[in-house]
Amino acid sequence: MERLGKNRGIANLESPTDSRKSLYSSFVWTDYKAQLQKRVRAEDLPKYFHLTESEKIGIQETIRLNVGTTPYYLSLSDPEDPNCPIRKMIVPRREESFFSPEETLDPLHEEDLSPVKGLTHMYPDRVLLFSNHECSVYCRHCMRGRKVSDSSERMETADLELCFDYIRNHPEISDVVISGGDPLNLSDPKIDWILENLEKIPHVKICRLGTRNPVTLPMRVTSDLCKIIESHNTDRLSIFCNTQFNHEKECTSEAKEAILKLLKAGVNVGNQCVILKGINDDGETMLRLHRKLLELRIRAYYMYDPELIPGSRGFRTPLAKGIQIIEYMRGKVAGMGIPQFVNDLPGGGGKVSLGPNWYLGFHKPSRNHVFRSAVRGTYHLSPEPVDSEYEEFYPEISEETWSKLLQNSYSAFKGLGPLGGSGK
């Protein structure tokens, strides 16, 4: 991690607002290549923020990936407010300088599950392809800091060809997730070449692009890029896109334009957010985000529990937070706006979903299941089929609990009235 030492030696400058205006007017705003060329680095941050002491220490002593943001994503942040959610994802803080005992470079053991450089084969039917090591913005919570912004992780054409060879030789693989870095930071011809190779492998039916560029550099989603994607989105290969919006401030008109272009190219777009301490770790913030995402025509997919990566203690939240958030959201937004709360298990165990306990158990004598309503908090009974052979499968509810709930429970024969009304 010594490569991060170049983030030292920062001088303070005044007028972040004026500095921002000068930056924004110095190039064509909609030119994504210019956005990348004008990326703000660690040494530039004092020009654009009134830094706190914690941020100064974080910039100088971070043990994580390099610092960088596009001017576009910078424009979503507040130069004065250290609690700005976008700012927290751009600027390192003091917590990034600590390698805590519970943290490790590769908590998911992806490298142990890598048969060739740049490919992780954790699940039988799918692989994760690391297409490159660069991103438009180096998010401080990035789970792959060991790879991202590290030039030694560059994927050359020969490396990618070895990945394709492995996929060709394993017919059980039907689904390829292209990640990085950010695959959309590659050139159009390189993206075209990667998709063409995947489309030619008969047993590969699904390709998922994992990109944050609709959030951090939406102007990268050009008409030319969408034509390339659409040309490979055929009856032989179905292309999806999973992006990562973490806060409603990221749901801009530019982001919506990028998403609409992808949708018109036939690409379904899903969102994988991460619960981040002090950014989105409460039900109302997540609810507002996912309502905005539906307006952008993005369906909820995953909500991740943060990984045990170096310098991430300042972002991690108790496991209960995720369960509370899902419980809060249920009934307040359509189901397609509620993500699955998942933990990607340390040690390479894969993802498991977690959620509130809506199911209380099975009352064997009456053959009824007891549920708690997410909308009302009331209790509801649902019978097991008479010919079922699964009675021993369910956790049993006690007679004491059953007696308490029975008089105030609802069923197919006793329903609730309108919200705020009484049952009948």
Side-chain angles (χ1 to χ4, degrees):
M1 305 297 284
E2 292 180 1
R3 58 193 167 91
L4 299 168
K6 66 182 181 182
N7 292 341
R8 300 178 182 277
I10 299 167
N12 286 317
L13 298 176
E14 296 180 353
S15 304
T17 302
D18 290 340
S19 296
R20 288 176 177 227
K21 287 178 181 177
S22 297
L23 172 65
Y24 302 158
S25 62
S26 66
F27 65 98
V28 178
W29 188 252
T30 55
D31 183 346
Y32 80 88
K33 292 181 180 178
Q35 287 272 350
L36 291 172
Q37 289 166 357
K38 293 285 187 175
R39 268 193 300 195
V40 173
R41 311 291 181 177
E43 61 270 20
D44 303 319
L45 291 177
K47 296 179 187 177
Y48 306 113
F49 295 98
H50 281 306
L51 296 172
T52 65
E53 202 57 38
S54 173
E55 290 172 328
K56 291 175 185 177
I57 294 170
I59 294 166
Q60 291 175 346
E61 300 182 11
T62 177
I63 59 172
R64 290 196 39 68
L65 69 170
N66 292 337
V67 176
T69 180
T70 57
Y72 165 79
Y73 198 64
L74 177 73
S75 73
L76 306 184
S77 67
D78 191 320
E80 308 296 337
D81 181 10
N83 292 315
C84 166
I86 309 301
R87 175 170 173 162
K88 286 183 174 182
M89 288 185 274
I90 293 173
V91 185
R93 288 170 292 157
R94 186 172 183 268
E95 290 89 345
E96 277 197 32
S97 64
F98 298 106
F99 200 147
S100 302
E102 71 274 17
E103 297 169 351
T104 179
L105 284 171
D106 184 18
L108 305 184
H109 287 237
E110 290 179 328
E111 300 302 329
D112 293 342
L113 298 167
S114 181
V116 295
K117 180 184 176 182
L119 199 74
T120 296
H121 194 175
M122 181 179 292
Y123 302 96
D125 65 328
R126 73 209 85 145
V127 292
L128 181 66
L129 174 64
F130 295 97
S131 59
N132 67 332
H133 70 288
E134 293 183 349
C135 292
S136 298
V137 172
Y138 295 125
C139 308
R140 305 325 304 165
H141 59 279
C142 177
M143 65 166 290
R144 295 197 174 98
R146 71 186 191 280
K147 287 181 172 289
V148 174
S149 80
D150 183 353
S151 59
S152 69
E153 292 292 338
R154 182 186 303 275
M155 289 291 288
E156 305 292 350
T157 299
D159 297 317
L160 289 168
E161 285 176 339
L162 288 175
C163 293
F164 296 140
D165 285 342
Y166 179 87
I167 296 169
R168 287 188 196 99
N169 292 325
H170 287 77
E172 71 274 18
I173 297 171
S174 61
D175 184 347
V176 178
V177 180
I178 306 177
S179 185
D182 196 308
L184 296 194
N185 275 59
L186 295 169
S187 67
D188 284 359
K190 195 63 170 280
I191 293 170
D192 189 21
W193 177 76
I194 290 173
L195 293 177
E196 181 181 17
N197 271 274
L198 292 177
E199 190 183 5
K200 287 180 178 177
I201 302 174
H203 52 267
V204 173
K205 303 298 183 183
I206 296 169
C207 171
R208 291 182 276 169
L209 296 169
T211 174
R212 201 157 189 247
N213 270 340
V215 184
T216 60
L217 186 65
M219 49 283 293
R220 173 61 184 103
V221 184
T222 63
S223 297
D224 287 344
L225 173 64
C226 288
K227 286 177 184 176
I228 290 169
I229 294 172
E230 187 173 15
S231 72
H232 298 290
N233 196 16
T234 65
D235 58 348
R236 297 185 300 277
L237 185 69
S238 298
I239 300 177
F240 296 78
C241 174
N242 284 321
T243 187
Q244 186 192 127
F245 288 82
N246 289 320
H247 195 273
E248 63 178 320
K249 286 185 73 173
E250 298 170 328
C251 299
T252 64
S253 58
E254 293 95 336
K256 185 170 186 177
E257 183 180 349
I259 297 302
L260 290 178
K261 286 180 180 178
L262 289 169
L263 292 172
K264 287 175 182 177
V267 176
N268 285 298
V269 183
N271 192 66
Q272 303 182 124
C273 63
V274 184
I275 305 176
L276 300 168
K277 185 177 180 180
I279 292 176
N280 59 13
D281 59 337
D282 66 274
E284 186 58 33
T285 301
M286 277 291 189
L287 179 62
R288 290 198 303 268
L289 166 64
H290 285 83
R291 283 175 172 165
K292 284 283 188 183
L293 290 176
L294 289 181
E295 292 176 24
L296 268 60
R297 305 183 195 180
I298 301 172
R299 294 193 67 153
Y301 185 30
Y302 284 150
M303 179 176 74
Y304 280 101
D305 195 42
E307 303 294 350
L308 299 167
I309 46 180
S312 66
R313 185 176 276 188
F315 284 120
R316 294 202 300 275
T317 57
L319 192 68
K321 281 276 189 179
I323 296 171
Q324 288 174 349
I325 288 169
I326 297 299
E327 184 167 9
Y328 182 86
M329 292 177 67
R330 180 62 67 182
K332 297 182 178 70
V333 66
M336 61 185 175
I338 299 178
Q340 295 182 60
F341 174 43
V342 296
N343 186 299
D344 214 341
L345 298 177
K351 299 178 187 69
V352 293
S353 12
L354 304 159
N357 190 8
W358 308 118
Y359 179 59
L360 277 68
F362 182 59
H363 182 244
K364 214 169 184 178
S366 69
R367 298 177 58 77
N368 270 296
H369 298 281
V370 184
F371 298 90
R372 177 169 59 93
S373 166
V375 181
R376 312 267 191 142
T378 47
Y379 298 97
H380 298 256
L381 309 180
S382 179
E384 179 78 352
V386 293
D387 59 349
S388 170
E389 298 178 357
Y390 286 86
E391 290 92 340
E392 303 304 321
F393 177 82
Y394 308 112
E396 286 192 51
I397 196 167
S398 69
E399 284 296 333
E400 181 182 1
T401 302
W402 173 255
S403 298
K404 287 179 182 178
L405 298 179
L406 184 58
Q407 296 305 313
N408 295 309
S409 62
Y410 298 86
S411 68
F413 301 100
K414 177 187 176 185
L416 286 159
L419 282 172
S422 58
K424 56 185 179 181

